Amino acid sequence: MKRAIPVVVLSIAGLVPVWMYEPSALTSTTESAAPASTPSASASSSSGSSSGSNVVKGTTVNTEKGAVQVQVTFSGEQITAVKMLQQPNHPQTTAAVPKLIAETLEAQSADIDTVSGATITSDGYRESLQAAIDDNAKTASASPSPSASESSASASQTVDGSTVNTEKGAVQVQVTFAGDKITAVNMLQQPNHPQTTAAVPKLIAETLEAQSADIDTVSGATITSDGYKESLQAAIDAKG
């Protein structure tokens, strides 16, 4: 299954230091053994926002490798960001999370592939994700339909940032706005480098939190970070 680069939010990617590990570990090794625990799930919870987005916490799924829990941001029924609240402390999990988030944003559902070498984490991720999706659907069905003026005000706008040619390769972002709020960031171009791949989720997560290009540079990916911020600022300026 081909998957696009858009890891937004992937966002969110739990903000874990994934650049410390090589993504190749996903296909060369499997998750190491860890003390087993009884699988269980806690109730999910959600909270709305004045901008029309809905942030929902999925169930906490206790796997053999550790607890897995996601937090999902929705704009209506659209998944705009996914953040890891809990995940096993393991290299394969750390490397797998950006892929799981990227596939979620593309599929817009929990019907995504298992990441090789991180089967247990993948299963827990999907279970927690599905719980968040179900909870959001219940909230949406219980909410009154927005008026025409409200729908117009919350209409999304997608803007491509400038293409920034760095020493490592081209960097370009695509930003989705709901009014003045940044709801999603998608990478259109990025250097084919492990540090870049690992840094992108953190850059996107910080963007969604800061709602601007005034974000920190990711250690080990300075060049990509600078290109990202320049392209992002261009998109913000173009949106007006």
Side-chain angles (χ1 to χ4, degrees):
M1 179 184 294
K2 292 185 178 179
R3 297 300 177 197
I5 293 296
V7 286
V8 65
V9 229
L10 188 238
S11 94
I12 324 355
L15 310 183
V16 293
V18 296
W19 58 90
M20 297 178 63
Y21 304 101
E22 294 291 342
S24 60
L26 286 170
T27 55
S28 61
T29 61
T30 58
E31 293 177 306
S32 62
S37 59
T38 303
S40 65
S42 64
S44 60
S45 62
S46 64
S47 61
S49 73
S50 58
S51 63
S53 63
N54 191 32
V55 179
V56 183
K57 294 180 181 179
T59 54
T60 297
V61 182
N62 294 311
T63 75
E64 295 178 10
K65 306 301 179 183
V68 177
Q69 184 184 25
V70 304
Q71 176 178 283
V72 187
T73 302
F74 297 89
S75 179
E77 294 183 354
Q78 181 184 14
I79 299 172
T80 59
V82 181
K83 177 181 180 180
M84 297 299 294
L85 298 181
Q86 299 184 70
Q87 67 183 67
N89 182 20
H90 192 278
Q92 273 65 45
T93 293
T94 302
V97 163
K99 292 187 176 182
L100 291 168
I101 293 176
E103 290 196 2
T104 300
L105 293 172
E106 181 176 351
Q108 288 295 303
S109 73
D111 185 17
I112 59 175
D113 292 337
T114 295
V115 175
S116 177
T119 301
I120 294 174
T121 295
S122 297
D123 290 344
Y125 173 94
R126 284 193 296 257
E127 182 177 339
S128 184
L129 174 63
Q130 187 61 59
I133 292 172
D134 292 344
D135 190 58
N136 180 67
K138 292 177 182 177
T139 301
S141 63
S143 301
S145 300
S147 65
S149 59
E150 290 174 333
S151 297
S152 176
S154 62
S156 63
Q157 178 183 1
T158 301
V159 181
D160 293 350
S162 58
T163 299
V164 181
N165 294 312
T166 74
E167 296 176 13
K168 303 297 183 181
V171 176
Q172 184 183 23
V173 304
Q174 182 181 76
V175 187
T176 300
F177 299 88
D180 292 328
K181 180 180 176 63
I182 299 173
T183 59
V185 181
N186 178 30
M187 295 300 293
L188 298 180
Q189 299 184 72
Q190 68 183 66
N192 183 19
H193 193 276
Q195 273 65 41
T196 293
T197 301
V200 163
K202 185 170 185 179
L203 290 169
I204 293 175
E206 290 194 0
T207 300
L208 294 172
E209 181 177 355
Q211 289 294 303
S212 73
D214 185 18
I215 59 176
D216 292 335
T217 295
V218 175
S219 177
T222 302
I223 293 174
T224 295
S225 297
D226 290 343
Y228 173 94
K229 288 186 283 189
E230 182 177 340
S231 183
L232 174 62
Q233 187 61 57
I236 293 172
D237 294 341
K239 191 266 179 188

Coordinates of all heavy atoms in Angstrom, one line a residue, residues 159-231:
V159 N -3.1 26.0 1.7 CA -2.1 26.9 1.1 C -0.8 26.2 1.0 O -0.3 25.6 2.0 CB -2.0 28.2 1.9 CG1 -1.0 29.1 1.2 CG2 -3.3 28.9 2.0
D160 N -0.2 26.2 -0.2 CA 1.2 25.6 -0.3 C 2.2 26.7 0.0 O 2.2 27.8 -0.5 CB 1.4 25.2 -1.8 CG 0.6 24.0 -2.2 OD1 -0.1 23.4 -1.3 OD2 0.5 23.6 -3.4
G161 N 3.2 26.3 0.8 CA 4.3 27.2 1.2 C 5.3 27.2 0.0 O 5.2 26.4 -0.9
S162 N 6.3 28.1 0.1 CA 7.3 28.1 -0.9 C 8.2 26.9 -0.8 O 8.3 26.2 0.2 CB 8.2 29.4 -0.7 OG 8.8 29.4 0.6
T163 N 8.8 26.6 -2.0 CA 9.8 25.5 -2.0 C 11.2 26.0 -1.6 O 11.7 26.9 -2.3 CB 9.9 24.8 -3.4 OG1 8.6 24.3 -3.8 CG2 10.9 23.7 -3.4
V164 N 11.7 25.5 -0.5 CA 13.0 26.0 0.0 C 14.1 24.9 -0.4 O 14.0 23.8 0.1 CB 13.0 26.2 1.5 CG1 14.3 26.7 2.0 CG2 11.8 27.2 1.8
N165 N 15.1 25.3 -1.2 CA 16.1 24.4 -1.6 C 17.3 24.5 -0.6 O 18.0 25.5 -0.5 CB 16.6 24.7 -3.0 CG 15.6 24.5 -4.0 OD1 14.9 23.4 -4.1 ND2 15.3 25.4 -4.9
T166 N 17.4 23.4 0.2 CA 18.5 23.3 1.2 C 19.6 22.5 0.8 O 19.6 21.8 -0.3 CB 17.9 22.8 2.5 OG1 17.7 21.3 2.4 CG2 16.6 23.4 2.9
E167 N 20.7 22.4 1.6 CA 21.8 21.5 1.2 C 21.5 20.1 1.2 O 22.1 19.3 0.5 CB 23.0 21.7 2.3 CG 23.5 23.1 2.3 CD 24.6 23.3 3.4 OE1 25.0 22.2 4.0 OE2 24.9 24.4 3.7
K168 N 20.4 19.7 1.9 CA 20.0 18.3 2.0 C 18.9 18.0 1.0 O 18.6 16.8 0.8 CB 19.4 18.0 3.4 CG 20.5 18.3 4.5 CD 21.7 17.4 4.4 CE 22.6 17.7 5.6 NZ 23.9 16.9 5.5
G169 N 18.3 19.0 0.4 CA 17.2 18.8 -0.5 C 16.1 19.8 -0.4 O 16.1 20.6 0.6
A170 N 15.1 19.7 -1.2 CA 14.0 20.6 -1.2 C 13.0 20.4 0.0 O 12.8 19.2 0.4 CB 13.2 20.6 -2.5
V171 N 12.5 21.5 0.5 CA 11.5 21.4 1.6 C 10.3 22.3 1.3 O 10.5 23.4 0.9 CB 12.1 21.9 3.0 CG1 11.1 21.9 4.1 CG2 13.3 21.0 3.4
Q172 N 9.2 21.7 1.3 CA 7.9 22.4 1.1 C 6.8 21.9 1.9 O 6.6 20.7 2.0 CB 7.6 22.4 -0.4 CG 6.3 23.3 -0.8 CD 5.9 23.1 -2.2 OE1 6.2 22.1 -2.9 NE2 5.2 24.1 -2.7
V173 N 6.0 22.8 2.5 CA 4.9 22.3 3.3 C 3.6 22.8 2.7 O 3.6 23.8 1.9 CB 5.0 22.9 4.7 CG1 6.3 22.5 5.4 CG2 4.8 24.4 4.8
Q174 N 2.5 22.1 3.0 CA 1.2 22.5 2.6 C 0.4 22.7 3.9 O 0.3 21.8 4.8 CB 0.5 21.5 1.7 CG -0.9 21.8 1.3 CD -1.5 20.7 0.4 OE1 -1.9 19.7 0.9 NE2 -1.5 20.9 -0.9
V175 N -0.3 23.8 4.1 CA -0.9 24.1 5.4 C -2.4 24.2 5.2 O -2.9 24.9 4.3 CB -0.4 25.4 6.0 CG1 -0.9 25.6 7.4 CG2 1.2 25.4 6.1
T176 N -3.2 23.6 6.1 CA -4.6 23.7 6.1 C -5.1 24.6 7.2 O -4.7 24.4 8.4 CB -5.3 22.3 6.2 OG1 -4.9 21.5 5.1 CG2 -6.8 22.5 6.1
F177 N -5.9 25.6 6.9 CA -6.4 26.6 7.8 C -7.9 26.4 8.0 O -8.6 26.2 7.0 CB -6.1 28.0 7.4 CG -4.7 28.4 7.3 CD1 -4.0 28.2 6.0 CD2 -3.9 28.9 8.3 CE1 -2.7 28.5 5.9 CE2 -2.6 29.2 8.2 CZ -2.0 29.0 6.9
A178 N -8.4 26.6 9.2 CA -9.9 26.8 9.4 C -10.0 28.2 10.0 O -9.7 28.4 11.2 CB -10.4 25.7 10.4
G179 N -10.4 29.1 9.2 CA -10.3 30.5 9.6 C -8.9 30.9 9.7 O -8.1 30.7 8.8
D180 N -8.5 31.4 10.9 CA -7.1 31.7 11.1 C -6.3 30.6 11.8 O -5.1 30.7 12.1 CB -7.0 33.0 12.0 CG -7.5 34.2 11.2 OD1 -7.3 34.3 10.0 OD2 -8.0 35.1 11.9
K181 N -6.9 29.5 12.1 CA -6.3 28.4 12.9 C -5.7 27.4 11.9 O -6.2 27.0 10.9 CB -7.4 27.7 13.7 CG -6.8 26.6 14.6 CD -7.9 25.9 15.4 CE -7.4 24.7 16.1 NZ -6.4 25.0 17.1
I182 N -4.4 27.0 12.2 CA -3.7 26.0 11.5 C -4.2 24.7 12.0 O -4.1 24.3 13.2 CB -2.2 26.1 11.7 CG1 -1.7 27.4 11.2 CG2 -1.5 24.9 11.0 CD1 -0.2 27.6 11.5
T183 N -4.9 23.9 11.1 CA -5.4 22.6 11.5 C -4.6 21.4 11.1 O -4.8 20.3 11.6 CB -6.9 22.5 11.0 OG1 -6.9 22.5 9.6 CG2 -7.8 23.5 11.6
A184 N -3.8 21.6 10.1 CA -3.0 20.5 9.6 C -1.8 21.0 8.8 O -1.9 22.1 8.1 CB -3.8 19.6 8.7
V185 N -0.7 20.2 8.8 CA 0.5 20.5 7.9 C 0.9 19.3 7.2 O 1.0 18.2 7.9 CB 1.6 21.1 8.8 CG1 2.8 21.4 7.9 CG2 1.2 22.3 9.6
N186 N 1.1 19.4 5.9 CA 1.4 18.2 5.1 C 2.8 18.5 4.4 O 2.9 19.6 3.9 CB 0.3 18.0 4.1 CG 0.6 16.8 3.2 OD1 1.3 15.9 3.5 ND2 0.1 16.9 1.9
M187 N 3.7 17.6 4.4 CA 5.0 17.8 3.7 C 4.8 17.4 2.3 O 4.5 16.3 1.9 CB 6.0 16.9 4.4 CG 6.4 17.3 5.8 SD 7.0 18.9 6.1 CE 8.6 18.9 5.2
L188 N 5.0 18.4 1.4 CA 5.0 18.1 0.0 C 6.4 17.7 -0.5 O 6.5 16.8 -1.4 CB 4.5 19.4 -0.8 CG 3.1 19.9 -0.5 CD1 2.8 21.1 -1.3 CD2 2.1 18.8 -0.7
Q189 N 7.4 18.2 0.0 CA 8.8 17.8 -0.3 C 9.6 17.9 1.0 O 9.5 18.7 1.8 CB 9.4 18.8 -1.3 CG 8.7 18.9 -2.6 CD 9.4 19.8 -3.6 OE1 10.5 19.5 -4.2 NE2 8.8 21.0 -3.9
Q190 N 10.5 16.9 1.1 CA 11.5 16.9 2.2 C 12.7 16.0 1.8 O 12.6 15.1 1.0 CB 10.8 16.3 3.4 CG 10.5 14.8 3.4 CD 9.8 14.3 4.6 OE1 8.6 14.7 4.9 NE2 10.4 13.5 5.4
P191 N 13.9 16.3 2.4 CA 15.1 15.5 2.2 C 14.8 14.1 2.5 O 14.2 13.7 3.5 CB 16.1 16.2 3.1 CG 15.6 17.6 3.2 CD 14.1 17.5 3.3
N192 N 15.4 13.2 1.7 CA 15.3 11.7 2.0 C 16.4 11.3 2.9 O 17.5 10.9 2.5 CB 15.4 10.9 0.7 CG 15.2 9.4 0.9 OD1 14.7 9.0 1.9 ND2 15.7 8.7 -0.1
H193 N 16.2 11.6 4.2 CA 17.2 11.4 5.2 C 16.5 11.0 6.5 O 15.5 11.5 6.9 CB 18.0 12.7 5.4 CG 19.3 12.5 6.2 ND1 19.3 12.5 7.6 CD2 20.5 12.4 5.8 CE1 20.5 12.4 8.0 NE2 21.3 12.3 6.9
P194 N 17.1 10.0 7.3 CA 16.5 9.5 8.5 C 16.2 10.6 9.5 O 15.1 10.6 10.2 CB 17.5 8.5 9.1 CG 18.2 8.1 7.9 CD 18.3 9.2 6.9
Q195 N 17.1 11.6 9.7 CA 16.9 12.6 10.7 C 15.7 13.5 10.3 O 15.0 14.0 11.1 CB 18.2 13.5 10.8 CG 19.2 13.0 11.9 CD 19.7 11.6 11.5 OE1 20.1 11.4 10.3 NE2 19.9 10.7 12.4
T196 N 15.6 13.8 9.0 CA 14.4 14.5 8.5 C 13.1 13.8 8.7 O 12.2 14.4 9.2 CB 14.6 14.8 7.0 OG1 15.7 15.7 6.7 CG2 13.3 15.5 6.4
T197 N 13.1 12.5 8.4 CA 11.9 11.7 8.5 C 11.5 11.7 10.0 O 10.3 11.8 10.3 CB 12.2 10.3 8.1 OG1 12.5 10.3 6.7 CG2 10.9 9.4 8.2
A198 N 12.5 11.6 10.9 CA 12.1 11.6 12.3 C 11.8 12.9 12.9 O 11.0 13.0 13.8 CB 13.4 11.0 13.1
A199 N 12.3 14.0 12.3 CA 12.0 15.4 12.8 C 10.7 15.9 12.4 O 10.1 16.7 13.1 CB 13.1 16.3 12.3
V200 N 10.2 15.5 11.2 CA 9.0 16.1 10.7 C 7.8 16.0 11.7 O 7.1 17.0 11.8 CB 8.6 15.5 9.3 CG1 7.2 15.7 8.9 CG2 9.5 16.0 8.2
P201 N 7.5 14.9 12.3 CA 6.3 14.8 13.2 C 6.4 15.9 14.3 O 5.4 16.5 14.7 CB 6.4 13.4 13.7 CG 7.1 12.6 12.7 CD 8.1 13.6 12.1
K202 N 7.7 16.1 14.8 CA 7.8 17.0 15.9 C 7.6 18.5 15.4 O 7.0 19.3 16.1 CB 9.2 16.9 16.6 CG 9.4 17.8 17.8 CD 10.7 17.4 18.5 CE 10.7 18.3 19.8 NZ 12.0 18.0 20.6
L203 N 8.1 18.8 14.2 CA 7.9 20.1 13.7 C 6.5 20.4 13.5 O 6.0 21.5 13.8 CB 8.7 20.2 12.3 CG 10.2 20.2 12.4 CD1 10.8 20.0 11.0 CD2 10.7 21.5 13.0
I204 N 5.7 19.4 13.0 CA 4.3 19.6 12.7 C 3.5 19.8 14.1 O 2.7 20.6 14.2 CB 3.7 18.4 11.9 CG1 4.3 18.4 10.5 CG2 2.2 18.5 11.9 CD1 3.9 17.3 9.6
A205 N 3.9 18.9 15.0 CA 3.2 19.0 16.3 C 3.5 20.4 17.0 O 2.5 21.0 17.5 CB 3.8 17.9 17.2
E206 N 4.7 20.9 16.9 CA 5.0 22.2 17.5 C 4.2 23.3 16.7 O 3.8 24.3 17.3 CB 6.5 22.4 17.5 CG 7.3 21.6 18.4 CD 8.7 22.0 18.6 OE1 9.1 23.1 18.1 OE2 9.4 21.4 19.4
T207 N 4.1 23.1 15.4 CA 3.4 24.1 14.6 C 1.9 24.2 15.1 O 1.3 25.3 15.2 CB 3.4 23.8 13.1 OG1 4.8 23.7 12.7 CG2 2.6 24.8 12.3
L208 N 1.3 23.0 15.2 CA -0.1 23.0 15.6 C -0.3 23.6 17.0 O -1.4 24.2 17.3 CB -0.6 21.6 15.6 CG -0.7 21.0 14.2 CD1 -1.1 19.5 14.3 CD2 -1.7 21.7 13.3
E209 N 0.7 23.5 17.9 CA 0.6 24.0 19.2 C 0.9 25.5 19.2 O 0.1 26.3 19.9 CB 1.6 23.3 20.2 CG 1.5 23.8 21.6 CD 2.5 23.1 22.5 OE1 3.1 22.1 22.1 OE2 2.6 23.5 23.7
A210 N 1.9 25.9 18.5 CA 2.3 27.4 18.5 C 1.4 28.2 17.6 O 1.3 29.4 17.8 CB 3.7 27.5 18.0
Q211 N 0.8 27.5 16.6 CA 0.0 28.3 15.6 C 0.8 29.4 14.9 O 0.2 30.4 14.5 CB -1.3 28.8 16.3 CG -2.3 27.8 16.7 CD -2.9 27.1 15.5 OE1 -3.5 27.8 14.6 NE2 -2.8 25.8 15.4
S212 N 2.0 29.1 14.6 CA 2.9 30.0 13.9 C 4.2 29.3 13.5 O 4.3 28.1 13.8 CB 3.3 31.2 14.8 OG 4.2 30.8 15.8
A213 N 5.1 30.0 12.8 CA 6.3 29.4 12.4 C 7.4 29.7 13.5 O 8.6 29.3 13.3 CB 6.8 30.0 11.1
D214 N 7.0 30.2 14.6 CA 8.0 30.5 15.7 C 8.1 29.3 16.6 O 7.5 29.2 17.7 CB 7.5 31.7 16.5 CG 8.5 32.1 17.6 OD1 9.6 31.7 17.5 OD2 8.0 32.8 18.6
I215 N 8.8 28.3 16.0 CA 9.0 27.0 16.7 C 10.5 26.6 16.8 O 11.3 27.2 16.1 CB 8.2 25.8 16.0 CG1 8.8 25.7 14.5 CG2 6.7 26.1 16.0 CD1 8.2 24.6 13.8
D216 N 10.8 25.7 17.7 CA 12.2 25.3 17.9 C 12.7 24.5 16.8 O 12.0 23.7 16.1 CB 12.3 24.5 19.2 CG 12.0 25.3 20.4 OD1 12.2 26.5 20.4 OD2 11.6 24.7 21.5
T217 N 14.0 24.6 16.6 CA 14.7 23.7 15.6 C 14.9 22.3 16.2 O 15.2 22.2 17.4 CB 16.1 24.3 15.3 OG1 15.9 25.6 14.6 CG2 16.9 23.4 14.4
V218 N 14.7 21.3 15.5 CA 14.9 19.9 16.0 C 16.4 19.6 15.9 O 17.0 19.7 14.9 CB 14.1 18.9 15.1 CG1 14.3 17.5 15.6 CG2 12.6 19.2 15.3
S219 N 16.9 19.1 17.0 CA 18.3 18.7 17.1 C 18.6 17.6 16.1 O 17.9 16.6 16.0 CB 18.6 18.3 18.5 OG 20.0 17.8 18.6
G220 N 19.7 17.8 15.4 CA 20.1 16.8 14.4 C 19.4 17.0 13.0 O 19.7 16.3 12.1
A221 N 18.5 18.0 12.9 CA 17.8 18.3 11.7 C 17.7 19.8 11.5 O 16.6 20.3 11.1 CB 16.5 17.6 11.6
T222 N 18.8 20.5 11.7 CA 18.8 22.0 11.7 C 18.4 22.5 10.3 O 17.6 23.4 10.2 CB 20.1 22.5 12.1 OG1 20.4 22.0 13.5 CG2 20.1 24.0 12.2
I223 N 19.0 21.9 9.3 CA 18.8 22.4 7.9 C 17.4 22.2 7.5 O 16.7 23.1 7.0 CB 19.8 21.7 7.0 CG1 21.2 22.1 7.3 CG2 19.4 22.1 5.5 CD1 22.2 21.4 6.4
T224 N 16.8 21.0 7.8 CA 15.4 20.8 7.4 C 14.5 21.7 8.3 O 13.5 22.2 7.7 CB 15.1 19.3 7.7 OG1 15.9 18.5 6.8 CG2 13.6 19.0 7.5
S225 N 14.8 21.8 9.5 CA 14.0 22.7 10.4 C 13.9 24.1 9.9 O 12.8 24.7 9.8 CB 14.5 22.7 11.8 OG 14.5 21.4 12.4
D226 N 15.1 24.6 9.5 CA 15.1 26.0 8.9 C 14.3 26.1 7.6 O 13.5 27.1 7.4 CB 16.5 26.5 8.7 CG 17.3 26.7 10.0 OD1 16.7 26.8 11.0 OD2 18.5 26.7 9.9
G227 N 14.4 25.1 6.8 CA 13.6 25.1 5.5 C 12.1 25.0 5.8 O 11.3 25.6 5.1
Y228 N 11.8 24.1 6.7 CA 10.4 23.9 7.1 C 9.8 25.2 7.6 O 8.7 25.6 7.2 CB 10.3 22.9 8.2 CG 9.0 22.7 8.8 CD1 8.1 21.7 8.3 CD2 8.5 23.5 9.9 CE1 6.8 21.5 8.9 CE2 7.3 23.3 10.5 CZ 6.4 22.3 10.0 OH 5.2 22.1 10.5
K229 N 10.5 25.9 8.5 CA 10.0 27.2 9.1 C 9.8 28.3 8.0 O 8.8 29.0 8.0 CB 10.9 27.7 10.2 CG 10.7 26.8 11.5 CD 11.5 27.4 12.6 CE 13.0 27.1 12.5 NZ 13.7 27.5 13.8
E230 N 10.7 28.3 7.0 CA 10.7 29.3 6.0 C 9.5 29.0 5.1 O 8.7 29.9 4.7 CB 11.9 29.3 5.1 CG 12.0 30.3 4.0 CD 13.3 30.4 3.3 OE1 14.3 29.9 3.8 OE2 13.3 30.9 2.1
S231 N 9.3 27.8 4.7 CA 8.1 27.4 3.8 C 6.8 27.6 4.6 O 5.8 28.1 4.0 CB 8.3 25.9 3.4 OG 7.2 25.6 2.5

